[in-house]
């Protein structure tokens, strides 16, 4: 049976997803606009990697986080456009995180633990994409 009224879990997930993606925007700003403030937070090697990223990387990062936030807002508004935005965000974050892990020397510097957060981000992106598709199938999005 389908219903047009989302359950409480939907709203909790949507709000938590928005907070998660807002943290992503903070990370984006921290690594681009506010990069000077990172000098006290990370090693010189990590800072060197961030400062030498190709220009396209910051564009892909921006697409990932801003599409994610917009996806969350449309999820909260119960609009099917959330699915497309989460799909765009997921594609961008796969490119972004793939480059971070395999196109830089971060794994050499920090070891395997450097993959933990990127894998969590990818898992959340995958979850949000498929969750929004499921919400649409249940009639919660229009």
């Amino acid at each position: 049976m389908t219903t047009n009224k989302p359950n409480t879990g939907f709203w909790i997930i949507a709000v938590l997803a928005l907070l998660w993606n807002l943290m992503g925007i903070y990370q984006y700003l921290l690594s681009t606009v506010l990069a000077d403030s990172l000098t006290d937070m990370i090693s010189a090697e990590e800072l060197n990697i961030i400062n030498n990223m190709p220009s396209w990387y910051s564009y892909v990062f921006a697409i990932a986080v801003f599409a994610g936030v917009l996806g969350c807002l449309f999820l909260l508004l119960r609009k099917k456009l959330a699915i497309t935005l989460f799909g765009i965000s997921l594609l961008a974050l796969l490119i972004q995180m793939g480059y971070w892990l395999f196109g830089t020397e971060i794994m050499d510097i920090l070891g395997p633990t450097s993959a933990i957060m990127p894998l969590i981000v990818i898992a959340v992106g995958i979850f949000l994409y498929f969750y929004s598709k499921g919400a649409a199938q249940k009639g919660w999005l229009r």
Side-chain angles (χ1 to χ4, degrees), residues 22-56:
L22 288 172
M23 287 189 302
I25 288 180
Y26 173 72
Q27 290 299 318
Y28 167 75
L29 294 173
L30 198 59
S31 68
T32 55
V33 181
L34 307 171
D36 293 340
S37 63
L38 288 175
T39 55
D40 296 336
M41 294 185 225
I42 61 175
S43 70
E45 294 92 353
E46 290 173 89
L47 189 59
N48 186 44
I49 289 174
I50 291 169
N51 288 335
N52 291 304
M53 293 299 252
S55 59
W56 63 262

Side-chain angles (χ1 to χ4, degrees), residues 4 10 13 21 31 33 38-39 65 70 74 79 86 101 113 115-116 128 136:
N4 287 336
F10 171 87
I13 289 170
N21 278 281
S31 68
V33 181
L38 288 175
T39 55
V65 296
L70 288 173
F74 279 97
K79 300 292 182 187
F86 284 135
L101 290 173
T113 59
I116 294 171
L128 289 175

